[in-house]
């Protein structure tokens, strides 16, 4: 019986119901998309790091796991590393900003190809001329670039000479020498990748390297990938918390307003229920049930919308963003929106429970 | 003098003062009233004389400021909010001038809601089915109030008020919004209900013709009862 009243109430003001549920949905999508992008970007970075085919990764002392700025190491280290037993290939990369948060990776194409098994060219081929760059398919799709297209950065025009399958380290590549010269970083590198003759001896090799390069960060690729978590990206966790907080406040306000207007317009009905002997708890219960239905409907809408945002990202900006669908966050996001919604229903519920039945019945 | 045991309602020295900030309105200034079980009594009086206020107190919607209010042997004066909620649920049924059906529920569900709130299983027992037939609304039960005429709505409201077999039915100007024809139907219904089921009814009305359906009429003025006619 109560449920009937709850459903009829929601149906009676269906526009308000839909808008409220949609607002809760947006709140849930905000959370799921942000979390999905965070996990997706890190996961994608991990995949691409593995895609380089290296067993060991070395980064400069004090550099963060994911740094957009270069923290250069001297290139001479490579010579030393090649003397370490079990090291088959040692090759370096530079990572430099090309404007915004996008980066260009400088590689030694020969060594990188041997290490990673080589690029698969969807179109075009390797560097030929001094202004040639390689891009991956996502980049090509996002910016509409084809072989022969021109890209501009560092005050120069670059010629796209080849489009490669994504998944190997980066999305935009150029020869490392050129990258070093043009940015005034001759002899300096960002990361070093090692391929081992016997990968089962990774730990021993790392130990040997660390004896000499004490301050450097030397990771097995597995270890490096495992470090690519939300906790290890500076500020990301707090950024997520802030967005969740904002989402909760928005959901709270919408449900507050929705339930508040519902209580006002139902003044007389609440009086009727009281005249029939309904307790304050009964009346609050009806509002809370409506709120739970709004929050749960909104959560379903929000989950559906997160698929839509992923689709949009994949089709519009695949080179810049990757969003994962995060089912383990569905109950969390739903729970967060439920708590925010119930909090929003508290004051209206209290107001309804306290309403004077006589005044309510006299209400026009 | 009766001590209330023989009466369904025994009110003595009832006072009600409304407080709105600093302003005090004395709506009832000492009401004495006895109603026997099975009586159908009309209450008349000018606007503002305290008729509705008396009903709200008898029905447990408002608390008394002073005095004694016995209904079915229970003293409503000095009851807590939750005790008065129980009175509304178990002892009385209300019928209002403005029908006051829940607009989002069908007629049947309006009645079912009263049963549900009273903790009784929904459904129409034998006697209630008869009452519905008596009320002549059995065929309109699936409709929402919006699509019922005023007369039909008021009949549904009466059905809702009696479904839990309350000791007392309080009707506050039940024909106030109805045309003559529908007023007559509703008044006859109340009289039939009183005669056939022994339902005790108190009915507020401004209309002497309506009051004529009752056994007797009580007149109120300025928060007091003037006289009680036969
Ligand atoms: N909730 C309230 N707060 C303050 N004063 C009230 C309230 N309800 C009624 N009154 C006052 O109490 C007095 C009695 O009102 P009541 O509604 O009982 O009269 P009534 O006889 O039912 O009148 P009517 O025939 O117009 O319905 C009036 O002066 C009214 O203004
Ligand atoms: Mg009145």
């Amino acid at each position: 019986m109560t449920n009937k009243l709850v459903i009829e109430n929601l149906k009676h003001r269906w526009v308000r119901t839909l808008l409220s549920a949609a607002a809760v949905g947006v709140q849930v999508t905000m959370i799921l998309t942000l979390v999905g992008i965070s996990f997706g970007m890190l996961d994608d970075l991990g995949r691409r790091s593995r895609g380089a085919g290296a067993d060991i990764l070395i980064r400069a002392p004090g550099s963060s796991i994911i740094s957009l700025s270069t923290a250069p190491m001297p290139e001479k280290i490579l010579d030393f590393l090649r003397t370490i037993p079990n090291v088959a290939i040692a090759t370096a990369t530079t990572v430099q900003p090309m404007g915004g948060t996008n980066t260009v990776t400088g590689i030694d194409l020969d060594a990188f190809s041997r290490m990673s098994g080589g690029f698969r060219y969807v179109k075009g081929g390797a560097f030929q001329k001094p202004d040639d760059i390689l891009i991956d398919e996502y980049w090509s799709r996002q910016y509409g670039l084809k072989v022969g297209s021109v890209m501009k950065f560092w005050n120069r025009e670059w010629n796209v000479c080849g489009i490669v399958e994504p998944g190997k380290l980066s999305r935009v590549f150029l020869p490392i020498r050129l990258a070093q010269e043009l940015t005034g970083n001759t002899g300096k590198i960002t990361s070093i990748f090692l391929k081992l003759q016997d990968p089962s001896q990774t730990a021993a090799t790392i130990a040997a390297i660390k004896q000499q390069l004490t301050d450097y960060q030397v990771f097995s690729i597995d270890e490096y990938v495992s470090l690519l978590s939300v906790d290890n990206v500076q500020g990301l966790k707090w950024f997520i918390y802030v967005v969740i907080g904002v989402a909760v406040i928005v959901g709270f306000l919408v449900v507050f307003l929705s339930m508040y207007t519902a209580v006002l317009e139902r003044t007389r009905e609440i009086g009727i229920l009281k005249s029939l002997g309904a307790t304050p708890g009964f009346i609050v219960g009806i509002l809370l049930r409506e709120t739970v239905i709004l929050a749960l409907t909104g959560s379903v809408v929000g989950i559906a919308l997160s698929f839509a945002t992923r689709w949009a990202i994949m089709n519009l900006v695949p080179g810049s963003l990757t969003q994962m669908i995060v089912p383990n966050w569905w109950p969390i996001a739903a729970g967060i929106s439920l708590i925010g919604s119930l909090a929003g229903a508290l004051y209206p519920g209290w107001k309804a429970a306290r309403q004077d039945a006589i005044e309510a019945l006299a209400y026009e | 003098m009766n001590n209330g045991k023989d009466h369904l309602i025994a009110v003595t020295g009832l006072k009600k003062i409304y407080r709105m900030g600093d302003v005090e309105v004395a709506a009832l200034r000492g009401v004495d009233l006895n109603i026997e079980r099975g009586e159908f009594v009309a209450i008349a009086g000018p606007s503002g004389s305290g008729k509705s206020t008396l009903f709200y107190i008898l029905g447990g919607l408002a608390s008394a400021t002073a005095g004694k209010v016995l209904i079915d042997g229970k003293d409503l004066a000095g009851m807590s909010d939750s005790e008065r909620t129980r009175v509304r649920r178990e002892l009385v049924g209300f019928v209002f001038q403005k029908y006051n059906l829940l607009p989002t529920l069908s007629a049947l569900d309006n009645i079912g809601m009263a049963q549900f709130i009273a903790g009784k299983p929904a459904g129409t027992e034998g006697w209630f089915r008869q009452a519905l037939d008596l009320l002549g609304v059995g065929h309109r039960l699936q409709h929402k109030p919006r699509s019922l005429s005023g007369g039909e709505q008021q009949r549904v409201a009466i059905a809702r008020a009696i479904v839990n077999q309350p000791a007392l039915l309080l009707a506050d100007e039940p024909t106030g919004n109805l045309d003559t024809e529908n007023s007559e139907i509703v008044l006859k219904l109340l009289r039939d209900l009183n005669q056939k089921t022994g339902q005790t009814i108190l009915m507020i009305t401004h209309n002497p013709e309506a009051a004529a359906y009752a056994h007797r009429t009580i007149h109120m003025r300025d928060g007091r009862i003037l006289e009680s006619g036969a």
Side-chain angles (χ1 to χ4, degrees), chain A residues 143-154:
Chain A
Y143 295 100
L145 298 171
K146 304 189 186 81
V147 170
S149 296
V150 169
M151 256 180 87
K152 281 186 197 160
F153 54 88
W154 300 346

Side-chain angles (χ1 to χ4, degrees), chain A residues 169-188:
Chain A
L169 200 58
S170 182
R171 303 206 186 282
V172 183
F173 305 89
L174 79 174
I176 188 166
R177 292 279 162 266
L178 205 54
Q180 289 169 323
E181 271 169 40
L182 289 174
T183 58
N185 280 305
T186 309
K188 302 218 173 99

Side-chain angles (χ1 to χ4, degrees), chain B residues 101-115:
Chain B
L101 296 175
L102 294 164
T104 54
L105 294 184
S106 69
L108 186 66
D109 287 338
N110 262 280
I111 298 168
M113 182 54 85
Q115 292 174 300

Side-chain angles (χ1 to χ4, degrees), chain A residues 119-276:
Chain A
F119 285 123
R120 293 244 212 101
Y121 294 96
V122 182
K123 290 268 165 59
F127 307 123
Q128 306 285 341
K129 290 180 281 162
D131 59 350
D132 278 352
I133 55 168
L134 290 172
I135 60 175
D136 80 350
E137 274 186 292
Y138 287 154
W139 196 270
S140 142
R141 214 190 308 157
Q142 178 168 344
Y143 295 100
L145 298 171
K146 304 189 186 81
V147 170
S149 296
V150 169
M151 256 180 87
K152 281 186 197 160
F153 54 88
W154 300 346
N155 294 320
R156 279 175 65 125
E157 294 198 339
W158 300 87
N159 170 56
V160 175
C161 67
I163 295 169
V164 300
E165 276 186 3
K168 293 217 160 82
L169 200 58
S170 182
R171 303 206 186 282
V172 183
F173 305 89
L174 79 174
I176 188 166
R177 292 279 162 266
L178 205 54
Q180 289 169 323
E181 271 169 40
L182 289 174
T183 58
N185 280 305
T186 309
K188 302 218 173 99
I189 54 181
T190 309
S191 305
I192 297 170
F193 294 86
L194 302 181
K195 189 161 184 78
L196 303 182
Q197 275 147 8
D198 180 2
S200 69
Q201 295 302 310
T202 304
T205 309
I206 289 175
I209 295 168
K210 274 190 170 166
Q211 269 183 353
Q212 303 293 320
L213 303 177
T214 38
D215 295 334
Y216 284 75
Q217 306 186 52
V218 186
F219 307 106
S220 74
I221 208 74
D222 288 339
E223 194 186 349
Y224 176 73
V225 169
S226 74
L227 288 174
L228 295 173
S229 72
V230 169
D231 285 339
N232 285 329
V233 182
Q234 199 152 36
L236 181 55
K237 201 162 70 175
W238 287 104
F239 180 58
I240 291 175
Y241 288 165
V242 166
V243 172
I244 289 177
V246 169
V248 169
I249 290 171
V250 170
F252 167 85
L253 290 177
V254 168
V255 172
F256 189 124
L257 198 62
S258 170
M259 287 300 148
Y260 189 76
T261 56
V263 168
L264 285 187
E265 79 175 6
R266 284 187 215 148
T267 299
R268 175 178 280 274
E269 290 164 72
I270 291 167
I272 296 168
L273 288 170
K274 286 191 172 173
S275 79
L276 293 175

Side-chain angles (χ1 to χ4, degrees), chain A residues 3-32:
Chain A
N3 290 336
K4 216 173 212 169
L5 184 61
V6 166
I7 300 294
E8 289 302 331
N9 282 343
L10 289 170
K11 266 164 55 184
H12 182 64
R13 286 273 181 253
W14 58 273
V15 174
R16 180 173 64 203
T17 301
L18 286 187
L19 285 179
S20 310
V24 174
V26 169
Q27 167 193 7
V28 168
T29 315
M30 255 166 92
I31 296 172
L32 291 181

